[in-house]
């Protein structure tokens, strides 16, 4: 049995109609919603992570088949495999996976897919290199590419480097998408957990003009008096 059909058969066996129904609601697959038309089998993330470990040795061509699927869990499984392969690869393999990821970014098309992969592939690859690709993504007309840009910086944040997060947050301040507001606010919160003065410098300058959701996410862990002060300033 060929490997991709085998994987697909295992996914369908693991999925349940009840979980698929919940996922369709949770990931907003209705008409006009951000995940419109996405198809779910109802497989859990822990199950997908187990499969990723089992099938880590499949070829990049086979991974790409899964990544280009119309089935959400197949795309997520492909990304989890890519993250595992990237982490264990040499520099050449990492470059290949990074380039494959960006060539196929149209299939990294929901927030969980972005959040599970961007920091581990895009962020990881760009350490010590030009960050110009992040700024191209941040200015993309595609919602998910913009989310990739800010979420990739989580890799830098965890290593004590905050400059790219702040710069990209500034680019995305006027973004119209709520999913970008949440991601930027989340990354600002992560900066604040590690270096509060850096996050607050950004917030003092932009809190009156940034989207309310972005601000709320950014200040979520602040002491209540300080949180209320920022919300009052926002008005």
């Amino acid at each position: 049995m060929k490997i991709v059909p085998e994987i697909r058969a295992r996914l369908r066996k693991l999925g349940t109609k009840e979980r698929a129904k919940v996922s369709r609601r949770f990931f907003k697959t209705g008409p006009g919603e951000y995940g419109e038309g996405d198809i779910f089998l109802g497989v859990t993330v822990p199950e997908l992570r187990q499969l990723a470990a089992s099938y880590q040795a499949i070829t990049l061509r086979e991974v790409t088949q899964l990544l280009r699927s119309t089935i959400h869990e197949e795309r997520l499984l492909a990304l989890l495999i890519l993250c595992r392969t990237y982490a264990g690869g040499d520099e050449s393999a990492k470059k290949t996976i990074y380039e494959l990821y960006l060539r196929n970014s149209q299939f990294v098309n929901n927030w969980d897919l972005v959040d599970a992969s961007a920091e581990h592939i895009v962020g990881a690859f760009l350490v010590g290199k030009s960050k110009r690709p992040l700024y191209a993504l941040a200015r993309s007309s595609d919602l998910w590419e913009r989310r990739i840009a800010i979420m990739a910086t989580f890799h830098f944040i965890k290593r004590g480097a905050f400059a790219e997060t702040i710069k990209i947050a500034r680019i995305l301040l006027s973004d119209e998408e709520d999913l970008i507001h949440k991601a930027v606010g989340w990354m600002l919160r992560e900066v604040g957990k590690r270096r509060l003065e850096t996050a607050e410098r950004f917030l003092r300058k932009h809190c009156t003009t940034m989207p309310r959701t972005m601000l709320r996410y950014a200040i979520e862990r602040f002491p209540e008096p300080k949180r209320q002060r920022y919300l009052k300033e926002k008005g």
Side-chain angles (χ1 to χ4, degrees):
M1 187 176 188
K2 291 186 177 180
I3 199 71
V4 171
E6 176 185 315
I7 292 170
R8 286 175 168 158
R10 290 190 66 177
L11 286 170
R12 279 152 182 77
K13 188 174 181 179
L14 288 168
T16 71
K17 290 182 180 179
E18 293 77 14
R19 285 199 299 259
K21 183 178 179 181
V22 170
S23 293
R24 286 194 298 272
R25 287 199 304 269
F26 187 68
F27 289 101
K28 308 294 185 185
T29 63
E33 295 182 311
Y34 61 75
E36 181 176 357
D38 206 353
I39 301 169
F40 286 83
L41 299 174
V43 184
T44 68
V45 173
E47 288 169 336
L48 290 171
R49 291 193 182 279
Q50 288 181 353
L51 284 177
S54 298
Y55 289 103
Q56 185 178 336
I58 68 174
T59 68
L60 289 183
R61 177 176 289 186
E62 290 163 336
V63 176
T64 303
Q65 281 184 257
L66 294 171
L67 183 56
R68 294 178 177 179
S69 172
T70 58
I71 306 296
H72 188 97
E73 289 94 340
E74 291 185 14
R75 301 198 303 281
L76 180 51
L77 176 59
L79 292 166
L80 294 174
I81 292 171
L82 286 175
C83 289
R84 292 179 67 92
T85 306
Y86 182 97
D90 60 19
E91 195 59 30
S92 176
K94 289 177 177 179
K95 183 174 187 289
T96 297
I97 291 169
Y98 165 79
E99 291 174 347
L100 183 155
Y101 185 94
L102 291 187
R103 282 198 310 273
N104 291 278
S105 61
Q106 69 266 39
F107 302 104
V108 189
N109 59 353
N110 212 312
W111 60 263
D112 63 320
L113 305 180
V114 173
D115 297 359
S117 60
E119 63 168 297
H120 303 297
I121 296 176
V122 179
F125 183 76
L126 293 177
V127 170
K129 301 181 182 71
S130 169
K131 306 304 186 292
R132 190 175 300 170
L134 288 184
Y135 296 97
L137 289 167
R139 293 184 172 93
S140 171
S141 61
D142 183 80
L143 159 64
W144 306 116
E145 289 192 342
R146 300 197 303 278
R147 187 161 175 125
I148 288 170
I150 188 65
M151 290 306 303
T153 72
F154 206 176
H155 191 89
F156 313 145
I157 291 170
K158 289 176 178 178
R159 285 151 183 79
F162 313 120
E164 308 307 328
T165 303
I166 297 301
K167 290 175 186 175
I168 290 172
R170 196 173 294 123
I171 291 170
L172 297 174
L173 272 173
S174 59
D175 201 284
E176 296 181 356
E177 295 287 349
D178 187 62
L179 284 167
I180 298 298
H181 303 167
K182 291 176 179 177
V184 173
W186 176 14
M187 291 302 99
L188 290 171
R189 184 176 73 225
E190 292 298 328
V191 170
K193 283 162 63 175
R194 293 160 174 86
R195 189 181 295 164
L196 184 59
E197 63 270 23
T198 299
E200 286 213 75
R201 191 180 309 121
F202 182 92
L203 292 171
R204 284 194 297 270
K205 185 172 183 180
H206 299 291
C207 72
T208 59
T209 56
M210 67 198 302
R212 180 169 289 274
T213 297
M214 188 184 295
L215 176 62
R216 284 187 176 276
Y217 269 62
I219 64 176
E220 189 175 53
R221 301 292 179 86
F222 283 11
E224 188 61 18
K226 182 180 287 189
R227 199 176 73 83
Q228 289 300 327
R229 188 163 66 248
Y230 274 108
L231 290 172
K232 184 176 180 182
E233 192 169 344
K234 170 66 179 170

